[in-house]
Amino acid sequence: MSQKKPHLNLVVIGHIDHGKSTLMGRLLYEIGAVDPRLIQQYEEEAKKIGKETFKYAWVLDRLKEERERGITIDLGFYKFETPKYFFTLIDAPGHRDFVKNMITGASQADVALLVVSAKEGEFEAGISPAGQTREHVFLAKTMGIDQLLVAVNKMDTVNYSQQRYEEIKTQLSRLLRIVGYKPEEILFVPTSAWEGVNVSKRSPDKTPWYNGPCLYEAFDYFKEPPRPIDKPLRIPIQDVYSIKGVGTVPVGRVETGVLRVGDKVIINPPKVIGEVKSIETHHTPLQEAIPGDNIGFNVKGVEKSQIRRGDVAGHPDNPPTVAEEFVGRIFVIYHPTAIAAGYTPVLHIHTATVPVTFAELIHKLDPRTGSVQEENPQYIKQGDSAVVRFKPRKPVVVEKFSEIPQLGRFAIRDSGRTIAAGVVIDVKKAEGY
Ligand code: GTP
Ligand code: MG
């Protein structure tokens, strides 16, 4: 990779079948990042199993099961560049059984492309209370993705109707505003992945009423995200390897601070200390790693068995905070009945997943103004905002959103559904840390 262009991790999100993989496969094909012969080969193979409309999606859907079922299951990665940036594309699944994989993808991303289908009924399914357009938008914001781009896809199915495009833009803007995005700062590109409209080139013949950028151009409207190098070091661990001749190598993304070769690091909650012997990113050695870098780092004095996904590395003079309890401000995205104190679903925060109890419902908030609506409510329901005291059932690193936003946002899930998303407003440190 050239050193000149900045690097952005882009996650592609949205409801099942809205065309995420097809749109990105088509774009990669049009800009020459994928060999045309490969698309031809996919077309032939896809035809044999009656899935010819998925030939572009196969660029990203590589698993046998994905191709047979015509859905994305696991994250698909691909590299491409624009005049301004190097992108790592992370294609997420829309199917609601695989939201967990979408969260993992979002946790690695700087920016997101939301794909919504303009097709009659499909857009509506996505933004319905159980739809994944809605759920993914909440999760993206929660996972710290501040910049969003929208593709209003499958415009061919509505005859490139400007009225349909405007209707979708209006409805989606309302949802985006509730979640905390500023819709007036977001680009909405009308596309057809299938017909190649406004993908890598503007298509005024099909959408004469639209004079904005095509998708490929729109990627360069993203702003370079801030790199918080002056904050304490935090690296949530995604995986740990034990490499012959090297030793223990945790892998993760530097969220804040700077890691240098020779540094002493502490990994919490297990509270193990080691010394950094080497750092690398995409097989290139580094002397120091900064926020946004996805790295593997070799630590001396730490065994693979002592640490795991969800732990966080920092410097010993300012170690990652392990929470006894924390207070969060949440929004209830989905719940079939009502939530009362004592409820124990699962907390997803940075790369960690632990059971968590709703210990106290402190107050219910007016979702529009944020002012207190009710003290100590008996229960909270779908659509409510609330301030809640949480008790993790296992040690976990939690930071205040105001200090380290990247480690201060979380999602609450239960039985494969996202129940709530929120931010941490206060943390009570666990004893011994
Ligand atoms: P998941 O990853 O499973 O959530 O789906 P996805 O959003 O990646 O959708 P995918 O790309 O797999 O496309 C689903 C179907 O929609 C395929 O049959 C595509 O050919 C079709 N499709 C995608 N984009 C368009 C489009 O612009 N127009 C039309 N007519 N069909 C499209
Ligand atoms: Mg897909």
Side-chain angles (χ1 to χ4, degrees):
M1 259 192 326
S2 148
Q3 300 301 309
K4 278 174 270 155
K5 286 185 195 176
H7 177 230
L8 281 184
N9 294 290
L10 166 79
V11 68
V12 183
I13 59 174
H15 195 80
I16 186 164
D17 262 0
H18 281 203
K20 297 176 291 299
S21 305
T22 301
L23 185 59
M24 294 316 291
R26 175 91 195 203
L27 176 82
L28 295 167
Y29 159 71
E30 287 187 13
I31 66 173
V34 176
D35 189 336
R37 280 170 305 185
L38 205 58
I39 300 287
Q40 203 174 352
Q41 183 194 324
Y42 289 160
E43 182 173 341
E44 283 157 22
E45 285 171 25
K47 218 174 228 162
K48 279 189 207 138
I49 58 167
K51 292 268 185 259
E52 52 267 53
T53 63
F54 288 87
K55 62 179 181 181
Y56 296 112
W58 281 21
V59 172
L60 292 147
D61 293 339
R62 286 177 224 156
L63 301 176
K64 187 162 177 275
E65 193 188 349
E66 292 182 315
R67 292 179 173 186
E68 283 171 1
R69 292 176 66 182
I71 61 167
T72 304
I73 295 173
D74 210 347
L75 300 169
F77 292 85
Y78 217 99
K79 293 199 182 297
F80 70 97
E81 58 181 288
T82 60
K84 191 165 162 194
Y85 292 116
F86 276 104
F87 280 97
T88 298
L89 156 67
I90 308 168
D91 182 43
H95 195 297
R96 72 176 162 94
D97 288 356
F98 307 114
V99 172
K100 215 178 146 179
N101 296 340
M102 177 273 170
I103 295 175
T104 305
S107 76
Q108 296 168 45
D110 301 296
V111 298
L113 167 65
L114 170 67
V115 179
V116 295
S117 168
K119 196 169 176 177
E120 223 48 67
E122 288 193 355
F123 171 72
E124 288 70 19
I127 60 157
S128 71
Q132 276 60 56
T133 302
R134 178 178 294 270
E135 184 174 17
H136 283 193
V137 163
F138 268 103
L139 288 168
K141 184 70 186 167
T142 304
M143 299 315 289
I145 300 175
D146 289 328
Q147 298 187 70
L148 202 65
L149 167 66
V150 178
V152 181
N153 190 40
K154 303 201 187 183
M155 284 299 294
D156 57 298
T157 67
V158 294
N159 280 317
Y160 298 97
S161 155
Q162 177 179 13
Q163 197 194 333
R164 177 64 169 163
Y165 166 85
E166 295 294 348
E167 176 193 346
I168 287 172
K169 195 172 160 180
T170 305
Q171 287 201 46
L172 205 52
S173 294
R174 205 173 298 144
L175 172 66
L176 293 171
R177 195 181 303 282
I178 293 175
V179 178
Y181 287 108
K182 295 196 179 96
E184 60 280 7
E185 292 174 5
I186 294 174
L187 287 170
F188 293 76
V189 184
T191 61
S192 167
W194 191 248
E195 296 188 346
V197 169
N198 292 323
V199 179
S200 71
K201 291 184 296 292
R202 298 187 187 199
S203 312
D205 50 325
K206 300 280 194 201
T207 53
W209 42 266
Y210 173 75
N211 47 30
C214 66
L215 187 66
Y216 183 64
E217 292 169 325
F219 287 142
D220 277 354
Y221 283 71
F222 284 126
K223 294 193 209 71
E224 214 182 324
R227 305 286 178 201
I229 54 173
D230 46 359
K231 296 217 167 164
L233 176 71
R234 297 290 185 268
I235 311 170
I237 309 291
Q238 273 159 23
D239 257 312
V240 186
Y241 299 94
S242 180
I243 297 173
K244 252 217 184 95
V246 178
T248 307
V249 179
V251 169
R253 181 179 133 108
V254 182
E255 292 292 354
T256 53
V258 179
L259 180 74
R260 293 189 179 84
V261 172
D263 281 0
K264 273 214 158 40
V265 288
I266 181 164
I267 298 172
N268 272 346
K271 231 171 151 177
V272 292
I273 292 187
E275 189 185 328
V276 178
K277 286 296 174 194
S278 62
I279 305 172
E280 68 167 50
T281 181
H282 302 291
H283 307 291
T284 311
L286 293 177
Q287 279 308 303
E288 59 168 48
I290 60 167
D293 286 342
N294 274 304
I295 59 164
F297 54 107
N298 170 224
V299 273
K300 201 176 122 194
V302 175
E303 297 296 321
K304 178 177 187 250
S305 61
Q306 294 178 290
I307 55 175
R308 60 197 178 95
R309 172 185 285 200
D311 294 344
V312 180
H315 287 132
D317 61 351
N318 193 337
T321 310
V322 178
E324 172 71 32
E325 291 181 341
F326 68 93
V327 175
R329 190 176 64 240
I330 63 164
F331 183 87
V332 182
I333 298 166
Y334 168 83
H335 197 272
T337 55
I339 297 171
Y343 178 45
T344 304
V346 180
L347 168 72
H348 290 249
I349 185 163
H350 51 86
T351 57
T353 320
V354 294
V356 70
T357 300
F358 282 62
E360 182 189 358
L361 306 180
I362 301 175
H363 35 242
K364 201 159 106 177
L365 304 172
D366 181 332
R368 281 178 311 273
T369 63
S371 62
V372 175
Q373 217 170 36
E374 188 184 343
E375 297 284 354
N376 293 108
Q378 281 288 304
Y379 57 84
I380 49 177
K381 299 193 312 288
Q382 183 169 314
D384 285 346
S385 273
V387 173
V388 176
R389 188 163 55 83
F390 290 100
K391 190 167 175 46
R393 309 312 305 190
K394 284 182 188 160
V396 63
V397 170
V398 173
E399 304 285 0
K400 261 196 219 181
F401 177 78
S402 59
E403 287 169 9
I404 307 182
Q406 294 80 358
L407 281 78
R409 306 179 191 254
F410 61 91
I412 302 282
R413 307 194 79 231
D414 190 6
S415 312
R417 298 291 298 260
T418 301
I419 302 297
V423 297
V424 177
I425 52 185
D426 208 0
V427 184
K428 184 174 161 203
K429 233 187 239 186
E431 231 170 274
Y433 284 94

